[in-house]
């Protein structure tokens, strides 16, 4: 699977996930969905990043998706991989499908990049409010 095909699979996943936005919990996370659905990816990142840093696994997944697709942020596969690993460790059921299985995001990284992302994910701790 080529890098182009992997990223297309990630983008498709994002579209599928966004179709469930109407059932997401109200509040800041939902505000991020509104921004995302309006294609205001920078605003979605501004909303989701602090939530992700405080430990919200759903926001961690979406921050990873933004980095994987370069939406509202520069495309950074290593950063995306790290956020997907963190989201998975925090119980987000969709995270592992973004870095293994059909998409194989980890195949886009060098062994050094993959190891650095895995180390960062292992060492990650939520920030206090």
């Amino acid at each position: 699977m080529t890098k182009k095909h992997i990223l297309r699979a990630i983008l498709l996943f994002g579209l599928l996930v966004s179709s469930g936005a109407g059932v997401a919990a109200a509040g800041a996370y939902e505000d991020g969905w509104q921004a995302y659905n309006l294609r205001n990816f920078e605003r979605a990142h501004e909303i989701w990043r602090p939530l992700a840093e405080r430990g919200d696994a759903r926001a961690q997944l979406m921050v990873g998706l933004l980095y994987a697709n370069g939406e509202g942020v520069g495309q950074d596969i290593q950063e995306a991989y790290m956020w997907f690993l963190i989201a998975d460790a925090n119980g987000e059921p969709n995270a592992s499908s973004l870095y293994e299985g059909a998409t194989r995001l980890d195949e886009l990284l060098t062994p050094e990049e993959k190891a650095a992302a895995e180390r960062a994910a292992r060492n990650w701790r939520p920030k206090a409010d």
Side-chain angles (χ1 to χ4, degrees):
M1 184 176 278
T2 67
K3 182 176 181 177
K4 183 177 178 182
H5 289 107
I6 291 171
L7 295 177
R8 186 174 295 144
I10 292 170
L11 180 59
L12 177 61
F13 178 82
L15 294 173
L16 293 173
V17 169
S18 69
S19 68
V23 297
Y29 182 79
E30 179 62 27
D31 292 343
W33 269 118
Q34 290 173 358
Y36 187 89
N37 287 328
L38 292 172
R39 304 187 59 75
N40 187 346
F41 302 122
E42 290 174 0
R43 180 68 182 134
H45 182 262
E46 289 172 4
I47 294 168
W48 283 330
R49 181 69 187 239
L51 294 174
E53 290 175 349
R54 288 193 303 268
D56 185 311
R58 300 169 305 165
Q60 292 164 347
L61 176 78
M62 296 312 298
V63 167
L65 189 67
L66 292 172
Y67 278 104
N69 292 318
E71 296 172 327
V73 293
Q75 186 177 41
D76 187 333
I77 302 303
Q78 184 174 336
E79 184 83 2
Y81 183 67
M82 180 199 72
W83 280 112
F84 293 150
L85 290 173
I86 293 168
D88 187 45
N90 285 319
E92 171 51 56
N94 296 306
S96 64
S97 66
L98 290 172
Y99 67 83
E100 61 184 23
T103 57
R104 298 302 306 178
L105 184 66
D106 59 332
E107 290 180 357
L108 300 176
L109 300 171
T110 66
E112 294 79 16
E113 291 170 330
K114 183 178 175 185
E118 290 170 347
R119 190 171 39 258
R122 274 192 312 276
N123 294 328
W124 181 88
R125 298 294 178 266
K127 292 185 177 177
D129 288 336

